Amino acid sequence: MSSQTAEPFDVERVREEFPILDREVGDGQRLAYLDNAATSQTPDRVIDAMSDYYRGTNANVHRGIHHLSQEASIAYEEAHDRLAEFVGASGGREEMIFTKNTTEGLNLVAYAWGLNELGEGDEVVLTEMEHHSSLVTWQQIAKRTDADVRYIEIDDEGRLDMDHARDVIGPDTEMVSVTHVSNTLGTINPIGDLADLAHEHDSYIFADGAQAVPHQSVDVEALDVDFYAFSGHKMCGPTGIGGLYGRKAILEAMEPFMYGGGMVRKVEFEETTWADLPWKYEAGTPLIAEGIALAEAADYLKEIGLDRIDRHERGLVEYALDRLQEFDDIEIYGPPAGERAGLVSFNLDGVHAHDLASIMNDHGVAIRPGDHCTQPLHDVLGTAASARASFYLYNTKDEVDVLVDAIDDARQLFG
Amino acid sequence: MSSQTAEPFDVERVREEFPILDREVGDGQRLAYLDNAATSQTPDRVIDAMSDYYRGTNANVHRGIHHLSQEASIAYEEAHDRLAEFVGASGGREEMIFTKNTTEGLNLVAYAWGLNELGEGDEVVLTEMEHHSSLVTWQQIAKRTDADVRYIEIDDEGRLDMDHARDVIGPDTEMVSVTHVSNTLGTINPIGDLADLAHEHDSYIFADGAQAVPHQSVDVEALDVDFYAFSGHKMCGPTGIGGLYGRKAILEAMEPFMYGGGMVRKVEFEETTWADLPWKYEAGTPLIAEGIALAEAADYLKEIGLDRIDRHERGLVEYALDRLQEFDDIEIYGPPAGERAGLVSFNLDGVHAHDLASIMNDHGVAIRPGDHCTQPLHDVLGTAASARASFYLYNTKDEVDVLVDAIDDARQLFG
Amino acid sequence: MSMGSDMYRQQILDHYKNPRNYGDLDDPTFSHVGENPMCGDEIKVDVLLEDDGETIEYAAFSGEGCAISQASASMLTDELQGMTLDELDDLDRDDVIDLLGVDISPMRVKCAVLVEMVAQDGAAIHQGEKTSIEKTTTE
Amino acid sequence: MSMGSDMYRQQILDHYKNPRNYGDLDDPTFSHVGENPMCGDEIKVDVLLEDDGETIEYAAFSGEGCAISQASASMLTDELQGMTLDELDDLDRDDVIDLLGVDISPMRVKCAVLVEMVAQDGAAIHQGEKTSIEKTTTE
Ligand SMILES: Cc1ncc(COP(=O)(O)O)c(C=O)c1O
Ligand SMILES: Cc1ncc(COP(=O)(O)O)c(C=O)c1O
C-alpha cells in the first residue's frame, strides 16, 4: 500500500466535487445523502466528461471513418480496457462487456449461457441474501429449463453459513451466483472460497459486485470468478451503464444474448456469424457517452484510492453502529462492525420504515426504506421492510449524527 | 397545419444550439456533419438537462421516499408519458417502455413474445431492407423456435414490392417486422397497409421507427401497429436510451424479458409476480438521466416542428439528388426524390466507399461508408458497401456543395 | 409541492396509535383485502350493509402497515358509516387526502388511498360490477 | 495523431491502380485467404517457396477491396520476394505502415495490415504452427 493510500483523505475537498451535496431540501434543510447503496452521486469531472463528449466528439462508433467517429470509437473502446484494468481483468477489453446495469449483466449470462445449457437435474446455487436481479433471474431461467435453484442460508448475524454452502454446492451444481457484498446486510461474502467450491464441482461462479466495486479494490482474477457484474451509477458514474467481466474462453464459447448491429461479422438472409469480443455481446448502438464517463469515474476512484475509500466508510459505519446501539428500541441487521461494508439496515420499534424515512426526509436525511430488492431475505429476517443508511466517500460523522437526531425525533413523535 | 409549422425555420439559429457543429476537424476544416442516420448531434438544452439532473436531482427512482428520489421518480416516470404522447400512444406511460436502443426494443419482443410463442410452421415476415437489429434478431429467434423467416422483396427503385408482400403475408404469419424508413435506401414504407395485411391474418406488426421518429411526425395509432421502436441518439437525445411502444393489452399479456429489481411485485424464493406496466419490462436501475434527457429532446423537436424538419430535409435531399445526378459515374440507391426521406446512399465508380469517406473526411465532411447494418440488402444491390450522406434539421445546402466538391476531389485523385 | 413535511400531525398519529374500527366483523355483507407492495401495507376491509342493501351500517379494517395507511383506514372506515355504496364509489383519491387533512408526499399517496381502493373494489365485486379478484393492489 | 489526411499519396494510388503481383500462382507452395469485414476487403495470397523451403521465391495476391488494402497487398508482395518465413513472421503492423509510407488513420489500419496477416497465417499453417483456419479476419 503506498503512503498516499495510507493517509485519510480530506472529506471537505472531496465534497467540493459533488455540487448536489450543497443542495437544500424541504424547508431549507441541508441534504445528508445516505442512500448510496441505491445510487451514488456524480462528481463534476464525470458530468463534464459526458457534456464534453456531446459538445465535442459525439458520433456513432466502430465503423466510422470520419474524424468524430474515430475519436468516439477510440475513446469508447479504450473505456473497456480501463474498466477491465479497474477490476483486475488482464484480458483487457475482450473480457469487459458494457451493459446497462448489473441486472443486465446477470440476464445476459442467464439467457446466453443458462437458457442454452441448463436442464433437468442441474442446479443453480444462490444465497438467501441475493438481490432480486440475481434471485429472480436465475429463478425464472431455472423454471424455464427445469433446473433447480438452491439457497445457501445465512446465520443469525447475516453471514453465509459456509457449512451449508458445502452441503448445497455439489456435483449437480452448474452455476453459483452470489453477491459479493450484501446491499441489505453489509455482509462481505468469501467469494474466493465459494469460487473454489464451485470449481471443485465444475460449476461456474458469478459474483454480483454491485456493492463491492464502488467501495473496495476488486481483483476478479484473485477472486477467481468466472463472471463479475457491476453498475456505473453506484460508483460515481452515470445511469444506464454497467460492466460485465467474463473469462475470455467462456465468452468466446458462449452464444450471444441480444442480436443486432455491431455484434455481427457477416450477415446473410439465412445465417449470421458473430463479431469478436467484447462486441459480440453489445448489440446496437452502444452506451457511448456512458461508457466514456464510466471510465472517468473509475479513474476518479482510483486516484482517490479504493483502500482509502474503504477505510473511510468503515470508520463511518463503525461510528453509526456505535451510535445506533445506544438505543434498545433499534434492531440492526447484519454482522458486527469490522466485518461489514459501509451500510446499515435497521428498524425502530413501533415505527414503520417508510414513516421513519419520511421523518428523516424532513431533516434533510436521505435514507432508503423498504425491502431493498431483497424481499426473500426480509422474510428470513422476519420484517417486511427496513431502513437503510449507506455511506460513500463524501459522507461525514456529522451526517451520522443528523441521522441519529432524526431517529430520535421519530421516537418522540410516535412514542 | 399551423402557420408556425408552415414556415421554414432559420437554420443558422438552429445551429447555434449545437456547439459541435462549429468544430474544426483535420487541418482546420469546418465540420459538415452528414452522418445523422448513424447518430444525431445533441443540442445544448438536452446536454444541460442531463448535467442539471446530475448536479441537482440524481437519485434512484420508484421506491424512494426522500426528496431527491421523489423528484427523480416523478421526472423519470413523466418522461414516459411525454414520449408516449410524442409518438401518439394514448395509453401514456403504460404503453411506453424505455430500452437502451431500438435494437433492445426488437430483442425484447423477440425474446418475450417470439421465443415463447413461435413454433414450427409459424412465419415471421421481414423485408429485404431490414436493419441487422431486426433481421438478425428474428432470424436467430426463428432458428431457435423452428419458425421460418420470409423476406418481402424490393423493386428496382428500392420500394417494397407490395404484390410480393401480399403473397408472403399469409395464414402462417405470426409477426411482420418492418422498418418504417430504410436507413440505406431512404424508402418510406407503407406501414398502415402492411398493418392491415398483418392484422387480416391475425399477425402482429412491429415497425422499426429508428429512422422515422427523429424526422417526421409519427402516430402509432394512425399507423395501427402493435409495436414500434426508436432510439434516442438519432433524435437529438443521448446515447443509451430508446423507446418501445406496445399496445397495452399485448404488453399486459406478454411475459417479461429481463428480470430484476423494479419489475417485480412480490418475490419469494420459489416464485415471483410482476409489476404493472411499463415497469414490468424495465429491470434494474433504469436509464434515469437518459430518459429525462430524451423527453427534453422530444420537446425540442416538437417545438421546432416535425413537419418543418421533414420539409427541410426533403429540400436538402432533393438538392443533393439533383447535384449527384449531374455525374454519370455516381450510382444512387433508392427511390426518386419526393418519395424518400432525408438520406442518400451512393457509389462513385472505381472508388471504394471507404476511400471516398476518407477523402471526404479530409474535407471535413462526415459521411458513413460501409454496409450500414444492411449487409443482405447490399447483396441484393450488388455491392459490398456504399457511401451514405444523411441530413438533419441543422444541415444546409452549402454542406451538400462541400460534399459534391469532395466527391470531385476523389474523382480527380483516382481518375 | 410539499415533499412530506407535516405529514405526521397529531390527528394522524392519534389514529395510527388508536385505530378506530379495527378488527373483524362477525358477519360482514362483504369483505375484501388489498396490499401496497411499496410499504408492505396489507389491509382487510369488512362491510356490513343495512337491510336496503345500499347503505353502510358499519365498516371495520384489520391488517398492518405504515402510519399513513393505518390512519387513513381508521379515518375512512369512520367516514363510511351511513354512506351508500354509490357514494363510496364516487370517492376519489383527493377525498381521502382531504380526510387526512395533511399534505401527502407523492410517493406516499399509495399508502393513503389503499383503504379506499380496497373498499371500492370490495363493493364493486359484491355488486357484480367487477369480476372477483383475490387482492387489490396499489401498484 | 493524424486522422487520415494524406493517406492517398501518389505512390498508394499508383499501386492501387496498377497492382504488382496481382493474380494466381499456378503452383503455390501455400495459399491463404482473409477478409476485413469493415471494408468488405477480401484478399488471397499465393506463395511459392524456394527449394530450401524457407525463402520466398515469389508471392502474388488477388481479391478486391479499398485502395489501402490493395496498395498494401501490392507493396508487401513485392517486399516478400527473397524474404524467409522467419522474417515474414517477424513483421508487425508498423512495418507494413512504414512500407506504405503514409499515415494510416486508426480506423483504416485493418485495411493496411490485412495482407500481412493473411501471409503470416498462411505461412504458419503451412509450417504446422497453426491449425488450419478457413479464413483470416481482421476483426
Ligand atoms: C432502420 C434502423 N433500425 C435499427 C437501428 C438500430 O438502432 P440502434 O443502433 O440505436 O439500436 C438503426 C440505426 O442504426 C436503423 O437505422
Ligand atoms: C447487490 C446488488 N445487486 C444488484 C443490484 C442491481 O443493480 P442495478 O439496479 O444497477 O442493475 C444492486 C443494486 O440495486 C445491488 O445492490
Side-chain angles (χ1 to χ4, degrees), chain B residues 198-219:
Chain B
H199 293 149
E200 272 166 32
H201 294 284
D202 286 329
S203 163
Y204 288 143
I205 179 164
F206 189 132
D208 166 357
Q211 297 296 343
V213 171
H215 304 285
Q216 56 174 264
S217 177
V218 165
D219 184 328

Side-chain angles (χ1 to χ4, degrees), chain A residues 37 101-104 131 133 179 181 183 208 210-211 231 233-234, chain B residues 284-285:
Chain A
N101 49 30
T102 301
T103 303
E104 189 185 353
H131 189 277
S133 64
T179 192
V181 172
N183 70 322
D208 167 358
Q211 298 296 344
S231 294
H233 68 95
K234 295 188 201 283
Chain B
T285 300

